[in-house]
Amino acid sequence: MKAAALLRGVVDLLLLLVFTVLAITGIGLYLAPRGRIAEAIGWTFLGVNRETLTAVHTYFGFAMIGLVGLHLSIGFRSMIAMLRMGLRKRRARG
């Protein structure tokens, strides 16, 4: 049981880290000039150029997909149990 709790904690921490990187790179890409102008003027966001921001954002996006899948598979049984319990309480009230 301790290993499962440790795995959940590690996955949650990694999800937080990946989300933070995606948020920062997403903001940088939103603010980046369009087209070749970013390269022509030497534009950077926190010292990182647009191409690198795009690559980091893409790879961390794939990592997020995998981590979310792992997160859901680890907690699937408990999620179903909580949903069933919530539906039972709602039926009893209604």
Side-chain angles (χ1 to χ4, degrees):
M1 196 54 120
K2 288 184 181 181
L6 178 64
L7 180 61
R8 285 181 183 197
V10 169
V11 169
D12 288 348
L13 184 62
L14 287 173
L15 278 169
L16 177 64
L17 174 73
V18 169
F19 172 78
T20 303
V21 171
L22 283 171
I24 292 169
T25 57
I27 291 168
L29 289 170
Y30 179 76
L31 297 174
R34 302 286 180 242
R36 296 183 192 173
I37 189 83
E39 188 176 320
I41 64 172
W43 183 89
T44 62
F45 181 75
L46 300 175
V48 181
N49 64 16
R50 184 183 173 112
E51 292 79 23
T52 305
L53 280 175
T54 302
V56 169
H57 193 76
T58 300
Y59 292 127
F60 273 79
F62 288 132
M64 176 71 100
I65 292 169
L67 286 169
V68 166
L70 183 60
H71 179 77
L72 290 174
S73 67
I74 290 170
F76 189 74
R77 286 184 184 157
S78 59
M79 180 180 68
I80 295 298
M82 285 187 276
L83 286 172
R84 285 182 180 162
M85 187 172 32
L87 288 174
R88 285 183 197 146
K89 287 181 180 178
R90 191 172 193 180
R91 287 182 191 161
R93 279 193 254 158

